[in-house]
Amino acid sequence: MRINQTLLPYMLAAVILLTGCHAAQQTTRTAGAAKVNNPCFIEDITLGGKSNYISHCPEIGSSKSRSSQRLKSAEIIALQEKYASILGVDPKNITNLPLYAFLDEWIGVPYRLGGDSKKGIDCSAFVRRLYDHVYCVNLVRTALEQFNYCSYVFDRDHLKEGDLVFFRTRGKRITHVGVYLGNNYFVHASRTQGVTISNMNDMYWQRYFAGAGTIPIDQG
């Protein structure tokens, strides 16, 4: 087939353009896949303190937040032993280090209704910050909204780390929320103690317990 010489430069330019578009599409797909597969929890961690970890979730608040930094082996061991002692479990069961590093920063922060900072925070704001930082999930704001967003867990024996636990401390409405840690313990922002860890078997919490639920983390 004879090709018009005057059209040849235009044909070559079209071939180059099409090839470039295909390469760009391939690059975009690869980058997209890498973003989806990027983990939110622990990277290259070996229990026993032989490795460090990085939290991949977006930072909340100060860029100097310790839970977003690389921890030394001794700090990992200390973190595991500290919270294993509180929860009454073996240190090897403390594997979600971004979660416990986050708790370590917030334990003791005072309660303030409507608060959302380390100057004072309420229960649902604390849960929202924890989920944003540890699980990369942007939760709704109030305890009642969080309750309605959950997939309900009807058997307390089936609770898992990260599930939400709800209470009716005043009347029939959901008024309080915390995050389950394990072995019947949960973390929450208490009106009297600020951010603290409590046991669900305590008479007070048993009396006001209203239910529990799992947040669809993969949809956050």
Side-chain angles (χ1 to χ4, degrees):
M1 179 178 68
R2 182 174 294 178
I3 300 175
N4 190 324
Q5 295 297 319
T6 60
L7 298 178
L8 184 59
Y10 298 100
M11 295 175 65
L12 290 173
V15 170
I16 293 171
L17 180 60
L18 290 172
T19 303
C21 288
H22 178 71
Q25 289 174 352
Q26 291 296 104
T27 302
T28 301
R29 290 193 195 102
T30 302
K35 184 176 181 181
V36 170
N37 293 327
N38 190 27
C40 284
F41 300 114
I42 301 169
E43 179 180 275
D44 300 329
I45 178 174
T46 301
L47 291 178
K50 296 181 180 179
S51 177
N52 296 337
Y53 82 99
I54 296 174
S55 172
H56 295 278
C57 292
E59 183 56 56
I60 297 177
S62 170
S63 61
K64 297 181 180 180
S65 174
R66 206 189 84 189
S67 57
S68 68
Q69 305 298 320
R70 193 176 283 269
L71 294 182
K72 297 179 181 179
S73 297
E75 291 179 306
I76 293 175
I77 294 173
L79 199 65
Q80 290 175 314
E81 290 181 346
K82 175 180 178 178
Y83 287 95
S85 176
I86 293 172
L87 303 184
V89 299
D90 193 295
K92 69 181 181 181
N93 293 329
I94 305 298
T95 58
N96 190 348
L97 297 183
L99 170 61
Y100 288 96
F102 178 85
L103 298 190
D104 220 36
E105 291 184 354
W106 283 84
I107 294 292
V109 169
Y111 178 92
R112 182 166 68 86
L113 182 63
D116 192 19
S117 73
K118 289 185 178 177
K119 294 181 179 179
I121 195 165
D122 64 24
C123 63
S124 58
F126 173 72
V127 168
R128 192 169 187 264
R129 275 186 169 265
L130 185 153
Y131 258 79
D132 194 2
H133 188 93
V134 178
Y135 300 113
C136 304
V137 171
N138 185 19
L139 273 185
V140 287
R141 175 63 173 87
T142 69
L144 180 59
E145 289 174 326
Q146 291 167 3
F147 179 79
N148 290 331
Y149 185 69
C150 285
S151 297
Y152 302 121
V153 177
F154 295 98
D155 189 342
R156 273 180 52 175
D157 292 336
H158 293 162
L159 284 173
K160 295 178 295 186
E161 180 185 274
D163 286 346
L164 301 190
V165 288
F166 299 92
F167 303 87
R168 294 187 178 96
T169 55
R170 300 184 307 279
K172 296 182 179 181
R173 290 175 59 85
I174 299 295
T175 55
H176 193 66
V177 59
V179 178
Y180 187 75
L181 299 175
N183 199 26
N184 291 308
Y185 286 90
F186 69 105
V187 62
H188 61 124
S190 161
R191 285 178 175 270
T192 57
Q193 296 177 291
V195 178
T196 187
I197 294 174
S198 300
N199 193 318
M200 293 179 63
N201 288 334
D202 288 349
M203 187 177 298
Y204 179 86
W205 298 114
Q206 283 195 39
R207 178 181 178 184
Y208 293 113
F209 179 70
T214 295
I215 294 294
I217 290 176
D218 58 339
Q219 298 177 18

